[in-house]
mmCIF file with all atom_site columns, all heavy atoms in Angstrom:
data_model
loop_
_atom_site.group_PDB
_atom_site.id
_atom_site.type_symbol
_atom_site.label_atom_id
_atom_site.label_alt_id
_atom_site.label_comp_id
_atom_site.label_asym_id
_atom_site.label_entity_id
_atom_site.label_seq_id
_atom_site.pdbx_PDB_ins_code
_atom_site.Cartn_x
_atom_site.Cartn_y
_atom_site.Cartn_z
_atom_site.occupancy
_atom_site.B_iso_or_equiv
_atom_site.pdbx_formal_charge
_atom_site.auth_seq_id
_atom_site.auth_comp_id
_atom_site.auth_asym_id
_atom_site.auth_atom_id
_atom_site.pdbx_PDB_model_num
ATOM 1   N N   . VAL T 1 110 ? -2.896  -4.525 34.569 1.00 93.00 ? 110 VAL T N   1
ATOM 2   C CA  . VAL T 1 110 ? -4.217  -4.311 35.368 1.00 93.00 ? 110 VAL T CA  1
ATOM 3   C C   . VAL T 1 110 ? -3.813  -4.110 36.879 1.00 93.00 ? 110 VAL T C   1
ATOM 4   O O   . VAL T 1 110 ? -4.449  -3.263 37.483 1.00 93.00 ? 110 VAL T O   1
ATOM 5   C CB  . VAL T 1 110 ? -5.290  -5.450 35.123 1.00 93.00 ? 110 VAL T CB  1
ATOM 6   C CG1 . VAL T 1 110 ? -6.489  -5.194 35.946 1.00 93.00 ? 110 VAL T CG1 1
ATOM 7   C CG2 . VAL T 1 110 ? -5.502  -5.655 33.729 1.00 93.00 ? 110 VAL T CG2 1
ATOM 8   N N   . ILE T 1 111 ? -2.915  -5.028 37.405 1.00 93.00 ? 111 ILE T N   1
ATOM 9   C CA  . ILE T 1 111 ? -2.706  -4.884 38.818 1.00 93.00 ? 111 ILE T CA  1
ATOM 10  C C   . ILE T 1 111 ? -1.894  -3.551 38.990 1.00 93.00 ? 111 ILE T C   1
ATOM 11  O O   . ILE T 1 111 ? -2.230  -2.889 39.998 1.00 93.00 ? 111 ILE T O   1
ATOM 12  C CB  . ILE T 1 111 ? -1.647  -6.107 39.302 1.00 93.00 ? 111 ILE T CB  1
ATOM 13  C CG1 . ILE T 1 111 ? -2.471  -7.346 39.075 1.00 93.00 ? 111 ILE T CG1 1
ATOM 14  C CG2 . ILE T 1 111 ? -1.342  -5.883 40.690 1.00 93.00 ? 111 ILE T CG2 1
ATOM 15  C CD1 . ILE T 1 111 ? -1.647  -8.561 39.339 1.00 93.00 ? 111 ILE T CD1 1
ATOM 16  N N   . VAL T 1 112 ? -1.052  -3.169 38.103 1.00 94.00 ? 112 VAL T N   1
ATOM 17  C CA  . VAL T 1 112 ? -0.199  -1.892 38.275 1.00 94.00 ? 112 VAL T CA  1
ATOM 18  C C   . VAL T 1 112 ? -1.271  -0.691 38.257 1.00 94.00 ? 112 VAL T C   1
ATOM 19  O O   . VAL T 1 112 ? -1.240  0.077  39.196 1.00 94.00 ? 112 VAL T O   1
ATOM 20  C CB  . VAL T 1 112 ? 0.808   -1.862 37.264 1.00 94.00 ? 112 VAL T CB  1
ATOM 21  C CG1 . VAL T 1 112 ? 1.415   -0.353 37.239 1.00 94.00 ? 112 VAL T CG1 1
ATOM 22  C CG2 . VAL T 1 112 ? 1.911   -2.838 37.386 1.00 94.00 ? 112 VAL T CG2 1
ATOM 23  N N   . ILE T 1 113 ? -2.089  -0.634 37.276 1.00 93.00 ? 113 ILE T N   1
ATOM 24  C CA  . ILE T 1 113 ? -2.967  0.494  37.275 1.00 93.00 ? 113 ILE T CA  1
ATOM 25  C C   . ILE T 1 113 ? -3.941  0.533  38.440 1.00 93.00 ? 113 ILE T C   1
ATOM 26  O O   . ILE T 1 113 ? -4.357  1.586  38.927 1.00 93.00 ? 113 ILE T O   1
ATOM 27  C CB  . ILE T 1 113 ? -3.721  0.658  35.895 1.00 93.00 ? 113 ILE T CB  1
ATOM 28  C CG1 . ILE T 1 113 ? -4.305  1.998  35.627 1.00 93.00 ? 113 ILE T CG1 1
ATOM 29  C CG2 . ILE T 1 113 ? -4.863  -0.302 35.632 1.00 93.00 ? 113 ILE T CG2 1
ATOM 30  C CD1 . ILE T 1 113 ? -3.320  3.074  35.412 1.00 93.00 ? 113 ILE T CD1 1
ATOM 31  N N   . ALA T 1 114 ? -4.426  -0.672 38.817 1.00 92.00 ? 114 ALA T N   1
ATOM 32  C CA  . ALA T 1 114 ? -5.329  -0.690 40.017 1.00 92.00 ? 114 ALA T CA  1
ATOM 33  C C   . ALA T 1 114 ? -4.606  -0.188 41.308 1.00 92.00 ? 114 ALA T C   1
ATOM 34  O O   . ALA T 1 114 ? -5.264  0.551  42.007 1.00 92.00 ? 114 ALA T O   1
ATOM 35  C CB  . ALA T 1 114 ? -5.770  -2.142 40.296 1.00 92.00 ? 114 ALA T CB  1
ATOM 36  N N   . GLU T 1 115 ? -3.308  -0.523 41.410 1.00 91.00 ? 115 GLU T N   1
ATOM 37  C CA  . GLU T 1 115 ? -2.645  -0.034 42.557 1.00 91.00 ? 115 GLU T CA  1
ATOM 38  C C   . GLU T 1 115 ? -2.380  1.410  42.475 1.00 91.00 ? 115 GLU T C   1
ATOM 39  O O   . GLU T 1 115 ? -2.476  2.123  43.556 1.00 91.00 ? 115 GLU T O   1
ATOM 40  C CB  . GLU T 1 115 ? -1.276  -0.750 42.694 1.00 91.00 ? 115 GLU T CB  1
ATOM 41  C CG  . GLU T 1 115 ? -1.451  -2.160 43.154 1.00 91.00 ? 115 GLU T CG  1
ATOM 42  C CD  . GLU T 1 115 ? -0.298  -2.767 44.025 1.00 91.00 ? 115 GLU T CD  1
ATOM 43  O OE1 . GLU T 1 115 ? 0.624   -2.033 44.179 1.00 91.00 ? 115 GLU T OE1 1
ATOM 44  O OE2 . GLU T 1 115 ? -0.471  -3.946 44.346 1.00 91.00 ? 115 GLU T OE2 1
ATOM 45  N N   . ILE T 1 116 ? -2.095  1.948  41.278 1.00 91.00 ? 116 ILE T N   1
ATOM 46  C CA  . ILE T 1 116 ? -1.887  3.403  41.091 1.00 91.00 ? 116 ILE T CA  1
ATOM 47  C C   . ILE T 1 116 ? -3.074  4.170  41.433 1.00 91.00 ? 116 ILE T C   1
ATOM 48  O O   . ILE T 1 116 ? -3.092  5.227  42.070 1.00 91.00 ? 116 ILE T O   1
ATOM 49  C CB  . ILE T 1 116 ? -1.384  3.716  39.650 1.00 91.00 ? 116 ILE T CB  1
ATOM 50  C CG1 . ILE T 1 116 ? -0.070  3.050  39.244 1.00 91.00 ? 116 ILE T CG1 1
ATOM 51  C CG2 . ILE T 1 116 ? -1.346  5.128  39.349 1.00 91.00 ? 116 ILE T CG2 1
ATOM 52  C CD1 . ILE T 1 116 ? 0.306   3.231  37.839 1.00 91.00 ? 116 ILE T CD1 1
ATOM 53  N N   . LEU T 1 117 ? -4.256  3.627  40.991 1.00 91.00 ? 117 LEU T N   1
ATOM 54  C CA  . LEU T 1 117 ? -5.457  4.363  41.259 1.00 91.00 ? 117 LEU T CA  1
ATOM 55  C C   . LEU T 1 117 ? -5.994  4.184  42.655 1.00 91.00 ? 117 LEU T C   1
ATOM 56  O O   . LEU T 1 117 ? -6.696  5.073  43.177 1.00 91.00 ? 117 LEU T O   1
ATOM 57  C CB  . LEU T 1 117 ? -6.587  3.795  40.324 1.00 91.00 ? 117 LEU T CB  1
ATOM 58  C CG  . LEU T 1 117 ? -6.594  4.039  38.873 1.00 91.00 ? 117 LEU T CG  1
ATOM 59  C CD1 . LEU T 1 117 ? -7.400  3.247  38.020 1.00 91.00 ? 117 LEU T CD1 1
ATOM 60  C CD2 . LEU T 1 117 ? -6.961  5.613  38.726 1.00 91.00 ? 117 LEU T CD2 1
ATOM 61  N N   . GLY T 1 118 ? -5.376  3.143  43.342 1.00 90.00 ? 118 GLY T N   1
ATOM 62  C CA  . GLY T 1 118 ? -5.746  2.948  44.849 1.00 90.00 ? 118 GLY T CA  1
ATOM 63  C C   . GLY T 1 118 ? -6.927  2.190  44.997 1.00 90.00 ? 118 GLY T C   1
ATOM 64  O O   . GLY T 1 118 ? -7.725  2.179  45.937 1.00 90.00 ? 118 GLY T O   1
ATOM 65  N N   . ILE T 1 119 ? -7.261  1.220  43.939 1.00 89.00 ? 119 ILE T N   1
ATOM 66  C CA  . ILE T 1 119 ? -8.367  0.310  44.079 1.00 89.00 ? 119 ILE T CA  1
ATOM 67  C C   . ILE T 1 119 ? -8.027  -0.777 45.128 1.00 89.00 ? 119 ILE T C   1
ATOM 68  O O   . ILE T 1 119 ? -6.920  -1.330 44.892 1.00 89.00 ? 119 ILE T O   1
ATOM 69  C CB  . ILE T 1 119 ? -8.577  -0.394 42.599 1.00 89.00 ? 119 ILE T CB  1
ATOM 70  C CG1 . ILE T 1 119 ? -8.784  0.567  41.576 1.00 89.00 ? 119 ILE T CG1 1
ATOM 71  C CG2 . ILE T 1 119 ? -9.686  -1.532 42.745 1.00 89.00 ? 119 ILE T CG2 1
ATOM 72  C CD1 . ILE T 1 119 ? -9.953  1.443  41.793 1.00 89.00 ? 119 ILE T CD1 1
ATOM 73  N N   . PRO T 1 120 ? -8.995  -1.094 46.074 1.00 88.00 ? 120 PRO T N   1
ATOM 74  C CA  . PRO T 1 120 ? -8.600  -2.030 47.046 1.00 88.00 ? 120 PRO T CA  1
ATOM 75  C C   . PRO T 1 120 ? -8.307  -3.434 46.428 1.00 88.00 ? 120 PRO T C   1
ATOM 76  O O   . PRO T 1 120 ? -8.879  -3.832 45.392 1.00 88.00 ? 120 PRO T O   1
ATOM 77  C CB  . PRO T 1 120 ? -9.933  -2.036 47.915 1.00 88.00 ? 120 PRO T CB  1
ATOM 78  C CG  . PRO T 1 120 ? -10.687 -0.917 47.454 1.00 88.00 ? 120 PRO T CG  1
ATOM 79  C CD  . PRO T 1 120 ? -10.158 -0.453 46.159 1.00 88.00 ? 120 PRO T CD  1
ATOM 80  N N   . ARG T 1 121 ? -7.435  -4.169 47.078 1.00 86.00 ? 121 ARG T N   1
ATOM 81  C CA  . ARG T 1 121 ? -7.016  -5.494 46.555 1.00 86.00 ? 121 ARG T CA  1
ATOM 82  C C   . ARG T 1 121 ? -8.091  -6.364 46.330 1.00 86.00 ? 121 ARG T C   1
ATOM 83  O O   . ARG T 1 121 ? -8.131  -7.110 45.301 1.00 86.00 ? 121 ARG T O   1
ATOM 84  C CB  . ARG T 1 121 ? -6.071  -5.977 47.714 1.00 86.00 ? 121 ARG T CB  1
ATOM 85  C CG  . ARG T 1 121 ? -4.806  -6.658 47.113 1.00 86.00 ? 121 ARG T CG  1
ATOM 86  C CD  . ARG T 1 121 ? -4.010  -7.424 48.163 1.00 86.00 ? 121 ARG T CD  1
ATOM 87  N NE  . ARG T 1 121 ? -3.140  -8.292 47.611 1.00 86.00 ? 121 ARG T NE  1
ATOM 88  C CZ  . ARG T 1 121 ? -1.945  -8.023 47.272 1.00 86.00 ? 121 ARG T CZ  1
ATOM 89  N NH1 . ARG T 1 121 ? -1.394  -6.840 47.386 1.00 86.00 ? 121 ARG T NH1 1
ATOM 90  N NH2 . ARG T 1 121 ? -1.227  -9.007 46.636 1.00 86.00 ? 121 ARG T NH2 1
ATOM 91  N N   . GLU T 1 122 ? -9.072  -6.427 47.201 1.00 90.00 ? 122 GLU T N   1
ATOM 92  C CA  . GLU T 1 122 ? -10.162 -7.463 47.096 1.00 90.00 ? 122 GLU T CA  1
ATOM 93  C C   . GLU T 1 122 ? -11.087 -7.183 45.830 1.00 90.00 ? 122 GLU T C   1
ATOM 94  O O   . GLU T 1 122 ? -11.758 -7.931 45.350 1.00 90.00 ? 122 GLU T O   1
ATOM 95  C CB  . GLU T 1 122 ? -10.946 -7.501 48.375 1.00 90.00 ? 122 GLU T CB  1
ATOM 96  C CG  . GLU T 1 122 ? -11.779 -6.212 48.819 1.00 90.00 ? 122 GLU T CG  1
ATOM 97  C CD  . GLU T 1 122 ? -10.959 -5.286 49.630 1.00 90.00 ? 122 GLU T CD  1
ATOM 98  O OE1 . GLU T 1 122 ? -9.648  -5.529 49.727 1.00 90.00 ? 122 GLU T OE1 1
ATOM 99  O OE2 . GLU T 1 122 ? -11.412 -4.457 50.300 1.00 90.00 ? 122 GLU T OE2 1
ATOM 100 N N   . ASP T 1 123 ? -10.944 -5.867 45.180 1.00 90.00 ? 123 ASP T N   1
ATOM 101 C CA  . ASP T 1 123 ? -11.778 -5.627 44.111 1.00 90.00 ? 123 ASP T CA  1
ATOM 102 C C   . ASP T 1 123 ? -11.029 -5.793 42.776 1.00 90.00 ? 123 ASP T C   1
ATOM 103 O O   . ASP T 1 123 ? -11.519 -5.589 41.794 1.00 90.00 ? 123 ASP T O   1
ATOM 104 C CB  . ASP T 1 123 ? -12.163 -4.137 44.142 1.00 90.00 ? 123 ASP T CB  1
ATOM 105 C CG  . ASP T 1 123 ? -13.168 -3.912 45.229 1.00 90.00 ? 123 ASP T CG  1
ATOM 106 O OD1 . ASP T 1 123 ? -13.619 -4.915 45.919 1.00 90.00 ? 123 ASP T OD1 1
ATOM 107 O OD2 . ASP T 1 123 ? -13.405 -2.742 45.547 1.00 90.00 ? 123 ASP T OD2 1
#
Side-chain angles (χ1 to χ4, degrees):
V110 180
I111 298 174
V112 171
I113 197 74
E115 288 210 1
I116 296 177
L117 285 164
I119 300 299
R121 224 186 158 88
E122 63 273 16
D123 293 348

